[in-house]
Amino acid sequence: MTRQSSASPAGANVEHTIGIDAPPGTVYRLIADITGWPQFLRSVVHAEVVEDRLVGGERREQLVQLRALAGDRVQTWTSRRVLDPRPPGPGPGETRARPSGPGRRPAGPPRRRGAGR
């Protein structure tokens, strides 16, 4: 799983890559459950959903608050995200899950950049 996002108007990017040996539905549930992120993203020390609403079909819009280590400091920020269990299209602030296996590496991070969501 690779998570890349534009975190500021200046275009600062954050990327986390981890390997998960699980089917796609399980990976989606791990991504969707932001409260579990501290278990597998070492820099995230706290994550919570502040607002959660259905925006059509199975799509949910959430306001989330994260606390993460940045060097020797903990920084807090709030982000808005849309959860959609359908396969994602390219764009900024995306999460990609790619299959990998023995002798294979996940493809590189998305190359497209743009304003954050």
Side-chain angles (χ1 to χ4, degrees), residues 45-93:
V45 297
H46 178 78
E48 69 180 283
V49 177
V50 178
E51 293 175 13
D52 186 7
R53 66 186 182 103
L54 195 59
V55 292
E58 296 181 54
R59 291 172 46 122
R60 304 195 70 78
E61 183 177 88
Q62 294 182 331
L63 184 65
V64 297
Q65 185 178 71
L66 296 159
R67 289 188 201 117
L69 294 172
D72 61 349
R73 297 178 48 199
V74 174
Q75 293 190 339
T76 302
W77 68 94
T78 303
S79 296
R80 187 163 302 278
R81 70 181 189 157
V82 174
L83 293 173
D84 189 344
R86 297 175 300 170

Side-chain angles (χ1 to χ4, degrees), residues 1-2 24 27-28 31 88 95-99:
M1 174 178 78
T2 299
V27 174
Y28 176 81
I31 295 166
T95 300
R96 290 188 177 185
R98 299 181 194 92

